Amino acid sequence: MDRIRRNERLAAMTRILVESPNKIFTLGTFCDMFGAAKSTLSEDIDILRGVFAQFHLGQLDTVTGAAGGVRFRPVPSPEEACRAVRELAQMLAAPGRVLPGGFIYMADILAMPDVVEKMGTIIASQFYRAEPDFVLTMETKGIPVAMMTARALGVPMVIVRRDSKVYEGPAVNINYLAGSGGRVETMSLSRRAVKEGQRALIVDDFMRAGGTARGMVDMMREFSVTVVGVCVLIATQEPAKKRLDGVKSLLVIDSTDESTGTAVIRPANWLCAAAEKAAAK
Amino acid sequence: MDRIRRNERLAAMTRILVESPNKIFTLGTFCDMFGAAKSTLSEDIDILRGVFAQFHLGQLDTVTGAAGGVRFRPVPSPEEACRAVRELAQMLAAPGRVLPGGFIYMADILAMPDVVEKMGTIIASQFYRAEPDFVLTMETKGIPVAMMTARALGVPMVIVRRDSKVYEGPAVNINYLAGSGGRVETMSLSRRAVKEGQRALIVDDFMRAGGTARGMVDMMREFSVTVVGVCVLIATQEPAKKRLDGVKSLLVIDSTDESTGTAVIRPANWLCAAAEKAAAK
């Protein structure tokens, strides 16, 4: 193999690190790949860390210890996160999206890879320290954003179903209160989907009264799994009292007006307050 | 701003290109970002193209013309694609996955970001030339792989539902034959999800008789959308006569045995034949 130059190594390492977020690569992996010494690769990593920081391309960390190495996390800056969520709010508040009953049509936007990937990285960035083992969501619309959150965290996603399926094997079914009216509905999770003692991050697209999120928390109790956080992409301001406390949301719907077909949607306070604080530094 | 060195530029450009697969970036974008001349950036791109090819990191293309620039496609080599699909076949064929009725439990694997991302890039690589405007799938298990296919193609995903939802607005419902028994079921797609004249790539996780895939093709006809391809992750060998012709699959299930709990699963012929041909060159 020809000798690899530094700029070639840096490009290849960037591609490899970025493709597997939150995965720790040992220096040895790269030594073997490029036929370079550890000291050389340490310098490479220092350069990459600087470039990533300078151009806001995410965070490169050196992890020490026996299982140590280098790891990439696609953490956006507070300003970027606020701006991306503000842009999404504008897309969702566009005229014509309000449906009968005050619902907002968002199925199209929630399935755009670039949008949900950005939102997934913002959600993940809030929960790296909580070290979830998996991301739990309920079918259907929340799956893309939950998937992208799981990708950024480097963990699997687990999908709760509306009913048990022959191809999921033995399952635990629980009842929960759905919608603001409080209909009793059923959710189902395969017995083999998660293991006792694991840590779950619950992610969903939308929360009004919080019944579904509450149901997922109850479901995790049945499996003796610890819930390390609950985050939804969009929550409604009303009802102020939710069925579950401590839920984080990126966006808030203040109101929808069927007669004019418009909605008032904004980034959650915690999100842009952090950005403003950072900007003021 | 300090002058950016070449190795820093290459790392930053790699991160940016790789984050948005199949998106064309003009040289001007990078000129502005790094304060460098077009000729310098052309050299950068040449270096990157070489590195990506050498380490099998995907494909970097220069696109000429008015809308020209540079674009990254995460195209795996035939050998890599064959190997990744073979690994997936082994995971799915592991003992204990066969459920009553001969179904195979695969919900866990189909929601692992790294697995479905790899499969999504393999599917996408077969359809870049077909230029789909969106990836169509039916809820639920196929969503992750469809999402990752859409990501690799740089297009949105569209999800067909099992019934119409208040938050999807006016919808088209059609009936289709589900399962090998041929039950009549309903699928539903929001009127505003797709536009007349668009091009659809249909992606799903699993196909036995092909009724669901056929239903999605029929649905696209209702919307005057052209179907440019149909690809499933896994198809069963039986029945040999499917309800839809010309469906590509990455994996084939030859048989499942409930009494021993084992299944025979292998990469589709077209996939590894290509790899063997390339290896023989």
Side-chain angles (χ1 to χ4, degrees), chain B residues 196-250:
Chain B
E196 196 178 312
Q198 283 190 309
R199 297 161 66 81
L201 170 63
I202 295 176
V203 172
D204 211 350
D205 59 321
F206 186 76
M207 183 174 88
R208 191 182 299 257
T212 307
R214 176 59 185 269
M216 283 193 271
V217 170
D218 291 345
M219 179 68 93
M220 289 299 94
R221 193 173 301 125
E222 292 299 320
F223 282 83
S224 301
V225 162
T226 305
V227 174
V228 299
V230 182
C231 190
V232 297
L233 189 55
I234 305 159
T236 55
Q237 184 62 39
E238 299 296 331
K241 178 74 190 142
K242 309 289 191 193
R243 293 205 179 95
L244 184 67
D245 291 329
V247 178
K248 220 161 193 160
S249 81
L250 302 194

Short mmCIF file of all heavy atoms in Angstrom, two decimals, chain B residues 196-250:
data_model
loop_
_atom_site.label_atom_id
_atom_site.label_comp_id
_atom_site.label_asym_id
_atom_site.label_seq_id
_atom_site.Cartn_x
_atom_site.Cartn_y
_atom_site.Cartn_z
N GLU B 196 -49.10 14.40 -8.49
CA GLU B 196 -49.21 13.78 -9.81
C GLU B 196 -47.92 13.98 -10.59
O GLU B 196 -47.33 15.05 -10.57
CB GLU B 196 -50.37 14.48 -10.54
CG GLU B 196 -50.87 13.73 -11.76
CD GLU B 196 -52.04 14.46 -12.41
OE1 GLU B 196 -52.99 14.86 -11.69
OE2 GLU B 196 -51.99 14.67 -13.65
N GLY B 197 -47.49 12.93 -11.30
CA GLY B 197 -46.31 13.04 -12.14
C GLY B 197 -45.00 12.73 -11.43
O GLY B 197 -43.94 12.67 -12.08
N GLN B 198 -45.04 12.54 -10.11
CA GLN B 198 -43.80 12.22 -9.40
C GLN B 198 -43.39 10.78 -9.66
O GLN B 198 -44.15 10.00 -10.24
CB GLN B 198 -44.00 12.45 -7.90
CG GLN B 198 -43.96 13.92 -7.50
CD GLN B 198 -43.92 14.09 -5.99
OE1 GLN B 198 -44.73 13.52 -5.27
NE2 GLN B 198 -42.97 14.88 -5.50
N ARG B 199 -42.19 10.45 -9.20
CA ARG B 199 -41.64 9.11 -9.40
C ARG B 199 -41.39 8.47 -8.03
O ARG B 199 -40.71 9.04 -7.19
CB ARG B 199 -40.32 9.20 -10.18
CG ARG B 199 -40.50 9.78 -11.58
CD ARG B 199 -39.18 10.30 -12.16
NE ARG B 199 -38.24 9.24 -12.41
CZ ARG B 199 -38.25 8.45 -13.48
NH1 ARG B 199 -39.18 8.61 -14.40
NH2 ARG B 199 -37.34 7.51 -13.64
N ALA B 200 -41.95 7.27 -7.84
CA ALA B 200 -41.87 6.60 -6.53
C ALA B 200 -40.96 5.38 -6.57
O ALA B 200 -41.00 4.61 -7.53
CB ALA B 200 -43.27 6.17 -6.10
N LEU B 201 -40.17 5.23 -5.53
CA LEU B 201 -39.47 3.96 -5.28
C LEU B 201 -40.16 3.32 -4.08
O LEU B 201 -40.24 3.92 -3.01
CB LEU B 201 -37.99 4.20 -4.97
CG LEU B 201 -37.22 2.97 -4.47
CD1 LEU B 201 -37.18 1.87 -5.53
CD2 LEU B 201 -35.80 3.37 -4.07
N ILE B 202 -40.69 2.11 -4.27
CA ILE B 202 -41.39 1.41 -3.19
C ILE B 202 -40.40 0.52 -2.45
O ILE B 202 -39.69 -0.27 -3.06
CB ILE B 202 -42.56 0.58 -3.77
CG1 ILE B 202 -43.61 1.54 -4.37
CG2 ILE B 202 -43.18 -0.32 -2.70
CD1 ILE B 202 -44.78 0.85 -5.05
N VAL B 203 -40.33 0.70 -1.12
CA VAL B 203 -39.41 -0.08 -0.29
C VAL B 203 -40.18 -0.66 0.89
O VAL B 203 -40.94 0.05 1.54
CB VAL B 203 -38.25 0.81 0.23
CG1 VAL B 203 -37.39 0.05 1.25
CG2 VAL B 203 -37.38 1.29 -0.92
N ASP B 204 -40.02 -1.95 1.13
CA ASP B 204 -40.67 -2.55 2.30
C ASP B 204 -39.72 -3.56 2.92
O ASP B 204 -38.71 -3.92 2.32
CB ASP B 204 -42.00 -3.19 1.89
CG ASP B 204 -43.02 -3.13 3.03
OD1 ASP B 204 -42.64 -2.78 4.17
OD2 ASP B 204 -44.20 -3.44 2.79
N ASP B 205 -40.05 -3.99 4.13
CA ASP B 205 -39.14 -4.91 4.82
C ASP B 205 -39.30 -6.34 4.36
O ASP B 205 -38.33 -7.08 4.28
CB ASP B 205 -39.32 -4.82 6.34
CG ASP B 205 -40.74 -5.15 6.78
OD1 ASP B 205 -41.69 -4.75 6.07
OD2 ASP B 205 -40.92 -5.81 7.81
N PHE B 206 -40.54 -6.74 4.03
CA PHE B 206 -40.81 -8.17 3.91
C PHE B 206 -41.86 -8.42 2.84
O PHE B 206 -42.85 -7.70 2.76
CB PHE B 206 -41.30 -8.70 5.26
CG PHE B 206 -41.49 -10.18 5.30
CD1 PHE B 206 -40.39 -11.02 5.39
CD2 PHE B 206 -42.75 -10.75 5.23
CE1 PHE B 206 -40.55 -12.40 5.43
CE2 PHE B 206 -42.93 -12.12 5.26
CZ PHE B 206 -41.82 -12.95 5.36
N MET B 207 -41.66 -9.45 2.03
CA MET B 207 -42.67 -9.81 1.04
C MET B 207 -42.82 -11.32 0.98
O MET B 207 -41.84 -12.04 0.85
CB MET B 207 -42.28 -9.28 -0.34
CG MET B 207 -43.33 -9.57 -1.40
SD MET B 207 -42.95 -8.81 -2.99
CE MET B 207 -41.97 -10.08 -3.72
N ARG B 208 -44.07 -11.77 1.09
CA ARG B 208 -44.34 -13.19 0.89
C ARG B 208 -45.03 -13.34 -0.48
O ARG B 208 -44.39 -13.63 -1.48
CB ARG B 208 -45.20 -13.73 2.02
CG ARG B 208 -45.30 -15.26 2.02
CD ARG B 208 -46.20 -15.77 3.14
NE ARG B 208 -45.71 -15.41 4.47
CZ ARG B 208 -45.08 -16.25 5.29
NH1 ARG B 208 -44.87 -17.50 4.92
NH2 ARG B 208 -44.68 -15.85 6.48
N ALA B 209 -46.34 -13.04 -0.53
CA ALA B 209 -47.06 -13.21 -1.80
C ALA B 209 -47.01 -11.93 -2.64
O ALA B 209 -47.27 -11.96 -3.84
CB ALA B 209 -48.50 -13.62 -1.54
N GLY B 210 -46.69 -10.82 -2.01
CA GLY B 210 -46.55 -9.58 -2.77
C GLY B 210 -47.81 -8.72 -2.80
O GLY B 210 -47.86 -7.74 -3.54
N GLY B 211 -48.80 -9.09 -1.98
CA GLY B 211 -50.06 -8.34 -2.00
C GLY B 211 -49.92 -6.89 -1.55
O GLY B 211 -50.50 -5.99 -2.15
N THR B 212 -49.11 -6.67 -0.51
CA THR B 212 -48.94 -5.30 0.00
C THR B 212 -48.20 -4.45 -1.04
O THR B 212 -48.59 -3.31 -1.31
CB THR B 212 -48.15 -5.31 1.32
OG1 THR B 212 -48.79 -6.23 2.22
CG2 THR B 212 -48.10 -3.94 1.94
N ALA B 213 -47.14 -5.02 -1.61
CA ALA B 213 -46.39 -4.28 -2.63
C ALA B 213 -47.30 -3.95 -3.82
O ALA B 213 -47.29 -2.83 -4.33
CB ALA B 213 -45.18 -5.09 -3.09
N ARG B 214 -48.10 -4.94 -4.22
CA ARG B 214 -49.04 -4.73 -5.31
C ARG B 214 -50.03 -3.61 -4.96
O ARG B 214 -50.35 -2.76 -5.78
CB ARG B 214 -49.78 -6.05 -5.60
CG ARG B 214 -50.85 -5.97 -6.63
CD ARG B 214 -50.25 -5.49 -7.96
NE ARG B 214 -51.31 -5.31 -8.93
CZ ARG B 214 -51.72 -6.27 -9.77
NH1 ARG B 214 -51.14 -7.45 -9.76
NH2 ARG B 214 -52.69 -6.03 -10.63
N GLY B 215 -50.49 -3.62 -3.71
CA GLY B 215 -51.40 -2.58 -3.25
C GLY B 215 -50.75 -1.20 -3.36
O GLY B 215 -51.39 -0.22 -3.79
N MET B 216 -49.48 -1.10 -3.01
CA MET B 216 -48.80 0.20 -3.09
C MET B 216 -48.67 0.66 -4.54
O MET B 216 -48.77 1.85 -4.84
CB MET B 216 -47.45 0.14 -2.38
CG MET B 216 -47.58 0.19 -0.87
SD MET B 216 -46.00 0.49 -0.01
CE MET B 216 -45.41 -1.18 0.19
N VAL B 217 -48.41 -0.30 -5.44
CA VAL B 217 -48.35 0.05 -6.87
C VAL B 217 -49.72 0.57 -7.34
O VAL B 217 -49.80 1.59 -8.03
CB VAL B 217 -47.91 -1.18 -7.71
CG1 VAL B 217 -48.08 -0.91 -9.20
CG2 VAL B 217 -46.46 -1.54 -7.40
N ASP B 218 -50.77 -0.13 -6.93
CA ASP B 218 -52.13 0.32 -7.29
C ASP B 218 -52.42 1.71 -6.72
O ASP B 218 -53.02 2.55 -7.37
CB ASP B 218 -53.18 -0.68 -6.77
CG ASP B 218 -53.11 -2.02 -7.51
OD1 ASP B 218 -52.48 -2.09 -8.58
OD2 ASP B 218 -53.69 -3.01 -7.00
N MET B 219 -51.97 1.91 -5.49
CA MET B 219 -52.17 3.21 -4.85
C MET B 219 -51.49 4.32 -5.66
O MET B 219 -52.06 5.39 -5.88
CB MET B 219 -51.60 3.17 -3.42
CG MET B 219 -51.71 4.46 -2.64
SD MET B 219 -53.42 4.88 -2.24
CE MET B 219 -53.56 4.12 -0.60
N MET B 220 -50.28 4.06 -6.13
CA MET B 220 -49.56 5.07 -6.91
C MET B 220 -50.29 5.37 -8.21
O MET B 220 -50.26 6.50 -8.70
CB MET B 220 -48.12 4.62 -7.18
CG MET B 220 -47.22 4.63 -5.95
SD MET B 220 -47.05 6.30 -5.21
CE MET B 220 -48.34 6.30 -3.95
N ARG B 221 -50.95 4.37 -8.79
CA ARG B 221 -51.73 4.61 -10.00
C ARG B 221 -52.87 5.61 -9.72
O ARG B 221 -53.13 6.49 -10.51
CB ARG B 221 -52.29 3.29 -10.55
CG ARG B 221 -52.82 3.44 -11.97
CD ARG B 221 -53.22 2.10 -12.59
NE ARG B 221 -52.12 1.17 -12.65
CZ ARG B 221 -52.14 -0.06 -12.13
NH1 ARG B 221 -53.23 -0.52 -11.52
NH2 ARG B 221 -51.08 -0.84 -12.22
N GLU B 222 -53.48 5.49 -8.54
CA GLU B 222 -54.55 6.42 -8.15
C GLU B 222 -54.03 7.85 -8.10
O GLU B 222 -54.79 8.80 -8.27
CB GLU B 222 -55.13 6.05 -6.78
CG GLU B 222 -55.90 4.75 -6.73
CD GLU B 222 -57.12 4.76 -7.65
OE1 GLU B 222 -57.79 5.80 -7.72
OE2 GLU B 222 -57.37 3.74 -8.33
N PHE B 223 -52.74 8.01 -7.81
CA PHE B 223 -52.16 9.34 -7.68
C PHE B 223 -51.45 9.77 -8.97
O PHE B 223 -50.81 10.82 -8.99
CB PHE B 223 -51.16 9.36 -6.51
CG PHE B 223 -51.80 9.46 -5.15
CD1 PHE B 223 -52.28 8.34 -4.50
CD2 PHE B 223 -51.93 10.69 -4.52
CE1 PHE B 223 -52.88 8.43 -3.24
CE2 PHE B 223 -52.50 10.80 -3.26
CZ PHE B 223 -52.99 9.66 -2.62
N SER B 224 -51.54 8.95 -10.04
CA SER B 224 -50.82 9.22 -11.29
C SER B 224 -49.32 9.42 -11.05
O SER B 224 -48.70 10.36 -11.58
CB SER B 224 -51.40 10.44 -12.01
OG SER B 224 -52.76 10.23 -12.28
N VAL B 225 -48.77 8.54 -10.22
CA VAL B 225 -47.35 8.56 -9.92
C VAL B 225 -46.70 7.36 -10.60
O VAL B 225 -47.27 6.27 -10.62
CB VAL B 225 -47.12 8.50 -8.38
CG1 VAL B 225 -45.70 8.08 -8.03
CG2 VAL B 225 -47.45 9.85 -7.75
N THR B 226 -45.51 7.55 -11.18
CA THR B 226 -44.78 6.45 -11.82
C THR B 226 -43.97 5.68 -10.78
O THR B 226 -43.24 6.29 -10.01
CB THR B 226 -43.79 7.04 -12.86
OG1 THR B 226 -44.52 7.86 -13.76
CG2 THR B 226 -43.09 5.92 -13.63
N VAL B 227 -44.10 4.38 -10.77
CA VAL B 227 -43.29 3.55 -9.88
C VAL B 227 -42.00 3.18 -10.61
O VAL B 227 -42.04 2.51 -11.64
CB VAL B 227 -44.05 2.28 -9.44
CG1 VAL B 227 -43.14 1.36 -8.64
CG2 VAL B 227 -45.28 2.66 -8.63
N VAL B 228 -40.87 3.64 -10.12
CA VAL B 228 -39.59 3.38 -10.81
C VAL B 228 -38.91 2.12 -10.30
O VAL B 228 -37.91 1.67 -10.87
CB VAL B 228 -38.62 4.58 -10.70
CG1 VAL B 228 -39.22 5.82 -11.36
CG2 VAL B 228 -38.23 4.86 -9.26
N GLY B 229 -39.42 1.53 -9.23
CA GLY B 229 -38.83 0.30 -8.72
C GLY B 229 -39.52 -0.15 -7.46
O GLY B 229 -40.17 0.66 -6.78
N VAL B 230 -39.42 -1.44 -7.18
CA VAL B 230 -39.95 -2.00 -5.94
C VAL B 230 -38.86 -2.88 -5.35
O VAL B 230 -38.34 -3.77 -6.03
CB VAL B 230 -41.21 -2.86 -6.19
CG1 VAL B 230 -41.78 -3.38 -4.87
CG2 VAL B 230 -42.28 -2.07 -6.95
N CYS B 231 -38.47 -2.60 -4.11
CA CYS B 231 -37.39 -3.36 -3.49
C CYS B 231 -37.78 -3.70 -2.06
O CYS B 231 -38.23 -2.83 -1.31
CB CYS B 231 -36.10 -2.54 -3.51
SG CYS B 231 -34.65 -3.50 -3.01
N VAL B 232 -37.63 -4.97 -1.71
CA VAL B 232 -37.89 -5.36 -0.32
C VAL B 232 -36.59 -5.88 0.29
O VAL B 232 -35.71 -6.37 -0.42
CB VAL B 232 -38.99 -6.43 -0.20
CG1 VAL B 232 -40.31 -5.89 -0.71
CG2 VAL B 232 -38.61 -7.71 -0.93
N LEU B 233 -36.49 -5.76 1.59
CA LEU B 233 -35.31 -6.24 2.27
C LEU B 233 -35.27 -7.77 2.19
O LEU B 233 -34.24 -8.35 1.84
CB LEU B 233 -35.35 -5.77 3.73
CG LEU B 233 -34.12 -6.00 4.58
CD1 LEU B 233 -32.90 -5.38 3.94
CD2 LEU B 233 -34.34 -5.40 5.97
N ILE B 234 -36.41 -8.39 2.49
CA ILE B 234 -36.46 -9.86 2.58
C ILE B 234 -37.69 -10.38 1.84
O ILE B 234 -38.80 -9.88 2.07
CB ILE B 234 -36.57 -10.30 4.06
CG1 ILE B 234 -35.42 -9.69 4.86
CG2 ILE B 234 -36.58 -11.82 4.19
CD1 ILE B 234 -35.70 -9.63 6.35
N ALA B 235 -37.49 -11.37 0.99
CA ALA B 235 -38.61 -12.04 0.33
C ALA B 235 -38.54 -13.52 0.64
O ALA B 235 -37.46 -14.07 0.85
CB ALA B 235 -38.56 -11.80 -1.17
N THR B 236 -39.69 -14.18 0.65
CA THR B 236 -39.68 -15.64 0.79
C THR B 236 -39.60 -16.26 -0.60
O THR B 236 -40.10 -15.70 -1.57
CB THR B 236 -40.96 -16.14 1.49
OG1 THR B 236 -42.09 -15.67 0.76
CG2 THR B 236 -41.04 -15.65 2.92
N GLN B 237 -38.95 -17.44 -0.66
CA GLN B 237 -38.86 -18.15 -1.93
C GLN B 237 -40.25 -18.59 -2.39
O GLN B 237 -40.59 -18.49 -3.57
CB GLN B 237 -37.94 -19.37 -1.73
CG GLN B 237 -37.67 -20.16 -3.00
CD GLN B 237 -36.97 -19.33 -4.05
OE1 GLN B 237 -36.10 -18.53 -3.75
NE2 GLN B 237 -37.38 -19.49 -5.30
N GLU B 238 -41.08 -19.05 -1.42
CA GLU B 238 -42.44 -19.50 -1.71
C GLU B 238 -43.45 -18.43 -1.31
O GLU B 238 -43.25 -17.80 -0.28
CB GLU B 238 -42.74 -20.80 -0.93
CG GLU B 238 -41.83 -21.96 -1.28
CD GLU B 238 -41.98 -22.41 -2.72
OE1 GLU B 238 -43.09 -22.24 -3.27
OE2 GLU B 238 -41.01 -22.92 -3.30
N PRO B 239 -44.55 -18.24 -2.02
CA PRO B 239 -44.84 -18.83 -3.32
C PRO B 239 -43.95 -18.25 -4.42
O PRO B 239 -43.62 -17.06 -4.38
CB PRO B 239 -46.30 -18.43 -3.55
CG PRO B 239 -46.45 -17.15 -2.80
CD PRO B 239 -45.56 -17.27 -1.60
N ALA B 240 -43.58 -19.09 -5.37
CA ALA B 240 -42.70 -18.63 -6.45
C ALA B 240 -43.41 -17.57 -7.30
O ALA B 240 -42.79 -16.63 -7.80
CB ALA B 240 -42.27 -19.80 -7.31
N LYS B 241 -44.72 -17.75 -7.45
CA LYS B 241 -45.51 -16.79 -8.25
C LYS B 241 -46.02 -15.71 -7.30
O LYS B 241 -46.87 -15.96 -6.44
CB LYS B 241 -46.67 -17.53 -8.92
CG LYS B 241 -47.61 -16.65 -9.75
CD LYS B 241 -47.00 -16.23 -11.06
CE LYS B 241 -47.86 -15.15 -11.74
NZ LYS B 241 -47.06 -14.12 -12.40
N LYS B 242 -45.50 -14.50 -7.44
CA LYS B 242 -45.91 -13.40 -6.58
C LYS B 242 -47.04 -12.61 -7.24
O LYS B 242 -47.26 -12.71 -8.44
CB LYS B 242 -44.72 -12.46 -6.33
CG LYS B 242 -43.44 -13.16 -5.87
CD LYS B 242 -43.54 -13.68 -4.45
CE LYS B 242 -42.17 -14.14 -3.92
NZ LYS B 242 -42.30 -14.92 -2.68
N ARG B 243 -47.69 -11.78 -6.44
CA ARG B 243 -48.76 -10.95 -7.01
C ARG B 243 -48.21 -9.75 -7.79
O ARG B 243 -48.96 -8.98 -8.36
CB ARG B 243 -49.70 -10.45 -5.90
CG ARG B 243 -50.48 -11.56 -5.23
CD ARG B 243 -51.79 -11.11 -4.61
NE ARG B 243 -52.44 -12.27 -4.03
CZ ARG B 243 -52.33 -12.64 -2.75
NH1 ARG B 243 -51.66 -11.90 -1.90
NH2 ARG B 243 -52.92 -13.73 -2.33
N LEU B 244 -46.90 -9.58 -7.76
CA LEU B 244 -46.27 -8.46 -8.45
C LEU B 244 -44.94 -8.94 -9.01
O LEU B 244 -44.17 -9.59 -8.30
CB LEU B 244 -46.04 -7.31 -7.45
CG LEU B 244 -45.48 -6.01 -7.99
CD1 LEU B 244 -46.49 -5.32 -8.91
CD2 LEU B 244 -45.13 -5.06 -6.84
N ASP B 245 -44.68 -8.64 -10.27
CA ASP B 245 -43.41 -9.04 -10.88
C ASP B 245 -42.36 -7.95 -10.72
O ASP B 245 -42.69 -6.79 -10.47
CB ASP B 245 -43.60 -9.31 -12.38
CG ASP B 245 -44.46 -10.55 -12.62
OD1 ASP B 245 -44.38 -11.47 -11.79
OD2 ASP B 245 -45.20 -10.58 -13.62
N GLY B 246 -41.11 -8.33 -10.91
CA GLY B 246 -40.03 -7.35 -10.98
C GLY B 246 -39.63 -6.75 -9.65
O GLY B 246 -39.05 -5.68 -9.60
N VAL B 247 -39.95 -7.44 -8.56
CA VAL B 247 -39.56 -6.93 -7.24
C VAL B 247 -38.15 -7.43 -6.92
O VAL B 247 -37.85 -8.61 -7.06
CB VAL B 247 -40.53 -7.42 -6.14
CG1 VAL B 247 -40.08 -6.94 -4.77
CG2 VAL B 247 -41.95 -6.95 -6.45
N LYS B 248 -37.30 -6.50 -6.50
CA LYS B 248 -35.94 -6.84 -6.11
C LYS B 248 -35.94 -7.13 -4.61
O LYS B 248 -36.65 -6.47 -3.85
CB LYS B 248 -35.06 -5.62 -6.37
CG LYS B 248 -33.72 -5.97 -6.92
CD LYS B 248 -33.04 -4.79 -7.61
CE LYS B 248 -31.87 -5.33 -8.39
NZ LYS B 248 -31.42 -4.44 -9.44
N SER B 249 -35.17 -8.11 -4.16
CA SER B 249 -35.01 -8.29 -2.70
C SER B 249 -33.54 -8.48 -2.39
O SER B 249 -32.77 -8.95 -3.24
CB SER B 249 -35.84 -9.48 -2.21
OG SER B 249 -35.15 -10.69 -2.45
N LEU B 250 -33.14 -8.09 -1.18
CA LEU B 250 -31.74 -8.28 -0.78
C LEU B 250 -31.52 -9.67 -0.20
O LEU B 250 -30.47 -10.25 -0.38
CB LEU B 250 -31.32 -7.22 0.26
CG LEU B 250 -31.43 -5.75 -0.11
CD1 LEU B 250 -30.64 -4.90 0.89
CD2 LEU B 250 -30.95 -5.47 -1.52
#
